[in-house]
Amino acid sequence: MTIPQQPGTFVLVIATGGTIACTTDPDTGARTPTLSGEELVRAADPLETVRVYDAAQLDSSSIGLGEIDTLVDLARRALADAHIGGIVITHGTDSMAETALALDLFHDDPRPIVLTGAQLPADHPSADGPTNLKRAISLAADPLSRGQGVMVTFGGDTLAARGLLKRDTTEKRAFALTAPLPLPRPTPLAPAPLAGVNVPILRAWPGADGELVDLVRAAHPDGIVVEALGSGNVSAGMGEALGRVLDAGIPVVVATSVPFGEVTFDYGGAGGGSSLGERGALPGGWLRAGQARIALAAALATGAEPALLLGV
């Protein structure tokens, strides 16, 4: 590893915490992020020239829209430096798919942004973080990676941001894509803050009534994402309540709890996707609930058409 003192082409590694930076408490066994970005890069021992910036030291379940705004801004300001060939962001796996999509929606530079992390803490004898980070740095430095937007490299897989999901809680190949083919990226958005945009996710279950939906509607959210069943269906009671949300002018996006495949509005009845679509709900397409929330929040923050960001 070389940390240059003079300008030259290099990869910028932005560290945010996550399992890749975790060590294990000897008394409780709890994992917490303790390692700096420089320590992570030193363990990875990349061949490429690297600089490091520590942006946060968080479990990614605590990375909110404000932290995402910070990463979008850091990436944009960093890429104003022509000496940076690409960016790597180390990140926890819990919300990596959401952060990756948010970055991709605003990323208008051909140089790549690559996210990576780990399933095992840094002090585990089989820690996967160093290998993942070494591969991510190599990918970010590769001229062939230009023009591909934001990517995730993890467990030997390199995947696009759009349609990404965490498919397994423990396997080293932790991520997959919901779609069988690469999904087209929409035109990148002009920067706008996401913090303060309130888009909760509501989970559907068989036979659900509308009480929870009505409670959320009363809180006046900016939008709602529903993690529906099957190809985009909810119970009759929940469907009727979502109709009241739409009548109140609150946008609703319907995603699915099914890991793979597209949301299609095929079914009738009060909670069927076709009926929800007739009332004004939008299908989440290939995006699962977390990414659909990011797409809707970005649309609300920028004034973009939600359907374009959802890819439907």
Side-chain angles (χ1 to χ4, degrees), residues 15-30:
T16 70
T19 300
I20 191 172
C22 281
T23 54
T24 307
D25 186 290
D27 297 322
T28 66

Side-chain angles (χ1 to χ4, degrees), residues 135-224:
R135 287 173 173 163
I137 293 169
S138 178
L139 182 65
D142 189 344
L144 295 179
S145 298
R146 293 172 70 90
Q148 298 188 48
V150 177
M151 296 174 281
V152 167
T153 186
F154 205 103
D157 297 319
T158 297
L159 304 167
R162 178 165 284 268
L164 189 73
L165 63 81
K166 185 177 179 182
R167 67 172 191 86
D168 197 280
T169 60
T170 58
E171 284 188 14
K172 291 184 178 180
R173 295 183 67 186
F175 290 91
L177 294 174
T178 62
L181 297 173
L183 299 172
R185 297 175 64 215
T187 301
L189 300 168
L194 302 180
V197 180
N198 181 16
V199 180
I201 297 173
L202 299 182
R203 177 68 158 84
W205 64 93
D209 62 25
E211 181 179 3
L212 183 59
V213 177
D214 286 332
L215 287 171
V216 172
R217 173 174 57 86
H220 306 291
D222 298 307
I224 293 175

Side-chain angles (χ1 to χ4, degrees), residues 13-178:
V13 174
I14 299 174
T16 70
T19 300
I20 191 172
C22 281
T23 54
T24 307
D25 186 290
D27 297 322
T28 66
R31 302 170 178 179
T32 54
T34 60
L35 300 185
S36 68
E38 188 167 348
E39 289 172 305
L40 297 179
V41 172
R42 188 179 301 119
D45 192 26
L47 299 176
E48 294 77 14
T49 302
V50 173
R51 288 182 180 173
V52 178
Y53 181 82
D54 287 297
Q57 205 168 60
L58 295 171
D59 185 293
S60 71
S61 59
S62 294
I63 291 183
L65 296 179
E67 286 77 21
I68 288 175
D69 286 340
T70 297
L71 290 175
V72 170
D73 183 60
L74 282 172
R76 179 171 291 273
R77 288 194 288 120
L79 291 172
D81 185 344
H83 297 107
I84 292 180
I87 295 174
V88 170
I89 298 175
T90 61
H91 197 287
T93 58
D94 285 354
S95 64
M96 188 180 292
E98 285 87 338
T99 298
L101 181 66
L103 288 163
D104 195 56
L105 288 172
F106 294 103
H107 184 46
D108 62 355
D109 191 286
R111 288 168 290 179
I113 298 175
V114 183
L115 279 74
T116 196
Q119 289 281 62
L120 296 171
D123 55 0
H124 193 282
S126 300
D128 52 332
T131 297
N132 285 343
L133 181 53
K134 186 170 187 173
R135 287 173 173 163
I137 293 169
S138 178
L139 182 65
D142 189 344
L144 295 179
S145 298
R146 293 172 70 90
Q148 298 188 48
V150 177
M151 296 174 281
V152 167
T153 186
F154 205 103
D157 297 319
T158 297
L159 304 167
R162 178 165 284 268
L164 189 73
L165 63 81
K166 185 177 179 182
R167 67 172 191 86
D168 197 280
T169 60
T170 58
E171 284 188 14
K172 291 184 178 180
R173 295 183 67 186
F175 290 91
L177 294 174
T178 62

Side-chain angles (χ1 to χ4, degrees), residues 201-205 225-229 233-234 253-258 288-289:
I201 297 173
L202 299 182
R203 177 68 158 84
W205 64 93
V225 171
V226 180
E227 189 175 38
L229 307 174
N233 309 301
V234 300
V253 174
V254 181
T256 178
S257 58
V258 180
R288 294 304 169 262

